[in-house]
Amino acid sequence: MAVPKSKVSKARRDKRRSSHWKLSVPGLVKCSKCGEMRLPHRVCKACGNYNGREVV
């Protein structure tokens, strides 16, 4: 049976747990027509272009 050999301090425990709760930054790309930052594989909110043509 697995039994810990010694107590893990609060600081050590919290350091280990801290990395799982960070938010990741979404990968943004520039729109080829207007230059506004947008999410990849989505229509540009500023000009309505997607894949080189106007969709909206």
Side-chain angles (χ1 to χ4, degrees):
M1 208 153 117
V3 178
K5 286 188 185 260
S6 60
K7 179 181 175 176
V8 177
S9 69
K10 292 172 195 157
R12 195 174 191 81
R13 176 200 67 199
D14 293 344
K15 266 191 271 185
R16 185 180 65 242
R17 291 179 181 174
S18 68
S19 63
H20 300 292
W21 298 101
K22 291 178 183 163
L23 291 171
S24 59
V25 178
L28 296 172
V29 295
K30 273 189 178 175
C31 175
S32 57
K33 187 169 183 184
C34 67
E36 183 115 358
M37 297 303 281
R38 62 173 180 82
L39 289 169
H41 307 287
R42 284 170 182 75
V43 176
C44 179
K45 291 180 181 175
C47 63
N49 277 338
Y50 178 72
N51 204 16
R53 59 180 181 258
E54 194 165 329
V55 180
V56 179

